[in-house]
Amino acid sequence: MSLGIIIVTHTPEMAEGLARLLRHIAKNVPVTFAGGNSMGQIGTSMSQVQLAVNTNEATELLAFYDFGSARRNVELASAFSAKPIHLYDVALVEGAHTAAVSLQAGVDRAGLDKQLLALQVKA
Amino acid sequence: MSLGIIIVTHTPEMAEGLARLLRHIAKNVPVTFAGGNSMGQIGTSMSQVQLAVNTNEATELLAFYDFGSARRNVELASAFSAKPIHLYDVALVEGAHTAAVSLQAGVDRAGLDKQLLALQVKA
């Protein structure tokens, strides 16, 4: 079992830029992302989320998203995925950053979940 | 007096993508951004923050940032700026989104500050 991170946002640039930052600070943590809809416009796309899930080399994923419809697409992708996907209703950038730093340092998911509680800002 | 938003992040893509989203949902709110260091690498740059401040057509700014050194560069830029700059220690994406939606809807800063309290996740 290995843990990876997926990022899902409403613009391609946000997901790409956040993934770039996470890969920089946590070189051993697999990070993949889906940003924008299928046309690269504002929105999200279930098939792009599936691609982020399938191309992530980890066997279990932590998902961070910006807004509601991104969350729904992660839930849909999760229903069709063999990999367990844990969805975090936390501040996107700050939560994903905390997760990347912690996973890189070898913190397990129970330990990480405790840290992320303080960043919970979504329903 | 008019209110605008500046975004400061450690990668150029994050700032650009978030600004794109805010401009889409809040067409009348001036949004400018600074992302990455002066070489376009991971970091932030005081001179780029100053550029975001100076090119924002609003007379008073709300600043949203990702991490510590971004905050410090906003503070420095603020010290040299004639425009009042209000720094928010809130979840970057969720806070800036809330601010954009609220300003677009005509909410004043006192009203917005109340909404942003729930998104405070930084020291």
Side-chain angles (χ1 to χ4, degrees):
Chain A
M1 193 272 293
S2 62
L3 291 170
I5 292 174
I6 64 169
I7 303 294
V8 184
T9 69
H10 275 65
T11 63
E13 300 86 358
M14 281 168 67
E16 183 191 345
L18 180 53
R20 180 181 170 195
L21 180 68
L22 301 185
R23 288 167 179 164
H24 180 77
I25 58 175
K27 297 193 190 328
N28 302 117
V29 179
V31 177
T32 52
F33 61 91
N37 67 17
S38 57
M39 309 291 285
Q41 299 303 309
I42 287 170
T44 58
S45 145
M46 211 273 260
S47 64
Q48 290 203 28
V49 176
Q50 286 186 303
L51 194 63
V53 168
N54 294 335
T55 57
N56 194 302
E57 63 188 48
T59 55
E60 188 167 346
L61 299 175
L62 315 182
F64 299 88
Y65 67 93
D66 55 0
F67 304 109
S69 65
R71 187 187 206 284
R72 284 191 291 280
N73 274 324
V74 174
E75 286 179 316
L76 273 173
S78 182
F80 289 97
S81 168
K83 292 182 189 177
I85 302 176
H86 308 282
L87 193 46
Y88 287 91
D89 297 320
V90 298
L92 166 65
V93 172
E94 295 81 0
H97 181 270
T98 296
V101 170
S102 296
L103 293 183
Q104 180 70 26
V107 174
D108 66 7
R109 199 161 71 80
L112 175 59
D113 283 358
K114 273 188 202 159
Q115 292 178 36
L116 289 176
L117 268 182
L119 297 176
Q120 186 121 10
V121 295
K122 293 162 184 168
Chain B
M1 195 272 294
S2 62
L3 290 169
I5 291 174
I6 64 168
I7 303 294
V8 184
T9 69
H10 275 66
T11 63
E13 300 86 357
M14 280 168 65
E16 183 190 346
L18 180 52
R20 181 181 169 195
L21 180 68
L22 300 185
R23 288 167 179 165
H24 180 79
I25 59 176
K27 299 194 188 328
N28 303 116
V29 179
V31 178
T32 52
F33 61 92
N37 66 18
S38 56
M39 310 291 285
Q41 299 304 307
I42 289 171
T44 58
S45 146
M46 211 273 259
S47 64
Q48 290 202 28
V49 176
Q50 286 185 304
L51 194 63
V53 168
N54 293 336
T55 57
N56 195 302
E57 65 188 46
T59 56
E60 188 168 345
L61 300 176
L62 316 182
F64 298 89
Y65 67 95
D66 54 0
F67 305 109
S69 64
R71 188 188 205 282
R72 284 192 290 280
N73 274 323
V74 174
E75 286 180 317
L76 274 172
S78 182
F80 290 97
S81 169
K83 293 182 189 177
I85 301 176
H86 308 282
L87 193 46
Y88 286 92
D89 298 320
V90 298
L92 166 65
V93 172
E94 296 80 0
H97 181 270
T98 295
V101 170
S102 297
L103 294 183
Q104 180 70 26
V107 174
D108 65 9
R109 200 161 71 80
L112 175 58
D113 282 358
K114 274 189 203 158
Q115 293 177 35
L116 289 176
L117 268 184
L119 296 176
Q120 186 121 8
V121 294
K122 293 161 183 167

